[in-house]
Amino acid sequence: MKNKYNRTIFFEEYVHINGIDHYLLHSGTKYSNPLMLFLHGGPGFAESTISYIFQKQWEEIYTVVHWDQRGAGKTFTKNPNETPTFDLLLEDLFLIIQYLKERYKKQKIILFGHSWGTILGSIFVKNFPDEIEYYIGTGQVINMFDNERVGYEKVKELALQANDKKSLRELKALGDYPGGSYGISFKNKSAKLRVIQGRYHLAVTGNFSLILAFMKSPTFKLSDITALMKMDKPNKELINYWCKFDLRSESEEYKTPIYYILGEDDWQTPYIISEEYFKTINAPRKKLYLIPDAGHMAMMDQPNLFFGTLSEIRNEEGKISTIE
């Protein structure tokens, strides 16, 4: 793995935790910087391989660690017979954090969640607030059925305006969407909707450019593509949890500062749903940022604006910790 930017911290490793070997990718410029753990999307979509696209600036102000979760990426390749549950992932996450705190001599870490990672991250900070300095969510999931319903209506509106008969036929074929389906059936329907949404740049699609980005990564292995193609197989229980998820069923009380960074063009996890939920949150500190001309992968769509937002959060939290 070539250290292209001559980072002080730049290495990958497998750490035996909670019965299996977990893949971690570490990147940063100073050991004194705050430590951020990135929780990827999916379930099963490890983002460590594409982190090189958006993360270079982050490493100036954070030490960033990517963890390929059980059932995802290089951890899945190393442990192909593992079938994670949500409770098991919470255990993994807790123990990963203990390992990182000891390795970097930190009392707390920053938790960053993207998409599916916001589900894991939001529940974790509620259960283990003393482990986390603050939480950042992007592509924040509040309620999966509401996400799909609102995203469906948005693309239908645009297809009607464009007289896009092909897309309208495909939307009609989805039936009463999202309907009452769960699990893999729900996931398969949502994948069909993503294709239609992708035509209007409302959602992320698994197109050739994304595969090419994987292959250009300094950490790429051919097995990463295999893990990506097979990610639904080990994650059936997580997909059941994912499609029924509703953060509003939890208490609105948080004991850690909460930050949302949302793409203004994100209709995969529609920002308008997150905005409404965010108003109800009670937290020591909270702030919501909207990134213009950015979708579900806001950190890739607008990397400079996204980094500017991270810098603001880092500076404000730095001032608070100095006072405390």
Side-chain angles (χ1 to χ4, degrees):
M1 187 174 73
K2 187 177 180 182
N3 188 352
K4 183 178 179 182
Y5 302 115
N6 295 316
R7 295 306 197 206
T8 303
I9 305 164
F10 189 69
F11 63 96
E12 51 187 345
E13 63 173 341
Y14 286 94
V15 182
H16 194 78
I17 286 175
N18 210 14
I20 68 167
D21 291 333
H22 295 261
Y23 174 81
L24 300 176
L25 173 64
H26 305 246
S27 306
T29 54
K30 296 178 183 177
Y31 282 94
S32 59
N33 276 339
L35 178 63
M36 173 189 284
L37 178 60
F38 188 109
L39 301 179
H40 64 68
F45 186 81
E47 293 172 65
S48 57
T49 313
I50 57 171
S51 61
Y52 74 98
I53 297 174
F54 58 83
Q55 192 177 286
K56 180 186 175 185
Q57 291 176 296
W58 299 22
E59 296 163 13
E60 300 293 335
I61 60 173
Y62 293 108
T63 298
V64 186
V65 178
H66 283 261
W67 162 46
D68 288 10
Q69 298 161 27
R70 191 182 295 247
K74 291 178 171 64
T75 299
F76 172 41
T77 300
K78 194 83 166 178
N79 310 274
N81 297 318
E82 286 295 311
T83 53
T85 64
F86 190 76
D87 287 343
L88 190 53
L89 282 192
L90 281 178
E91 290 177 16
D92 290 344
L93 177 53
F94 180 85
L95 294 170
I96 291 283
I97 288 172
Q98 304 318 303
Y99 168 77
L100 292 174
K101 287 198 305 181
E102 183 177 351
R103 178 165 194 138
Y104 287 95
K105 310 301 180 191
K106 303 291 185 183
Q107 292 185 337
K108 295 184 178 183
I109 71 160
I110 293 94
L111 201 57
F112 182 102
H114 176 237
S115 197
W116 156 258
T118 68
I119 295 178
L120 184 57
S122 295
I123 299 301
F124 186 88
V125 298
K126 285 179 171 293
N127 284 280
F128 304 101
D130 293 341
E131 303 296 322
I132 305 303
E133 192 171 341
Y134 51 93
Y135 166 80
I136 302 172
T138 191
Q140 178 70 43
V141 178
I142 307 301
N143 178 287
M144 280 305 302
F145 264 67
D146 280 355
N147 283 352
E148 296 305 303
R149 176 182 54 78
V150 171
Y152 176 94
E153 292 300 330
K154 181 63 177 179
V155 74
K156 183 178 179 180
E157 173 192 329
L158 295 178
L160 284 168
Q161 289 175 2
N163 195 26
D164 179 356
K165 294 180 181 179
K166 177 184 177 182
S167 293
L168 290 170
R169 283 196 305 270
E170 292 171 349
L171 288 168
K172 186 177 181 180
L174 292 176
D176 180 23
Y177 190 81
S181 60
Y182 294 97
I184 293 297
S185 175
F186 180 88
K187 179 85 183 298
N188 290 340
K189 273 190 171 184
S190 72
K192 291 177 181 178
L193 180 63
R194 297 291 173 268
V195 173
I196 305 168
Q197 289 174 321
R199 295 172 192 155
Y200 293 88
H201 307 290
L202 303 179
V204 179
T205 57
N207 55 28
F208 178 73
S209 62
L210 187 60
I211 299 298
L212 191 62
F214 265 81
M215 295 177 70
K216 288 183 176 181
S217 169
T219 65
F220 173 74
K221 293 183 179 178
L222 194 58
S223 56
D224 295 332
I225 299 296
T226 304
L228 192 63
M229 293 172 65
K230 294 182 176 180
M231 68 180 182
D232 285 352
K233 184 178 179 181
N235 289 302
K236 290 180 181 178
E237 287 196 46
L238 291 184
I239 291 168
N240 281 331
Y241 185 94
W242 167 81
C243 67
K244 298 176 183 179
F245 182 75
D246 185 358
L247 187 54
R248 295 171 302 205
S249 67
E250 305 283 334
S251 166
E252 293 89 1
E253 299 294 326
Y254 290 81
K255 294 181 180 179
T256 55
I258 303 295
Y259 297 95
Y260 285 0
I261 308 176
L262 310 176
E264 210 168 27
D265 295 334
D266 184 1
W267 293 93
Q268 184 168 328
T269 50
Y271 73 93
I272 56 174
I273 298 173
S274 299
E275 275 187 319
E276 285 303 308
Y277 170 77
F278 194 80
K279 294 173 186 176
T280 71
I281 288 176
N282 291 316
R285 292 176 295 283
K286 68 173 189 176
K287 190 166 182 179
L288 183 148
Y289 299 85
L290 275 181
I291 305 294
D293 299 318
H296 191 59
M297 301 290 283
M299 61 279 196
M300 292 174 62
D301 295 335
Q302 293 286 356
N304 292 330
L305 289 177
F306 200 95
F307 174 69
T309 301
L310 284 181
S311 297
E312 181 178 323
I313 295 170
R314 163 79 167 82
N315 291 338
E316 289 302 313
E317 285 294 325
K319 291 175 186 176
I320 298 295
S321 62
T322 300
I323 294 171
E324 294 177 346

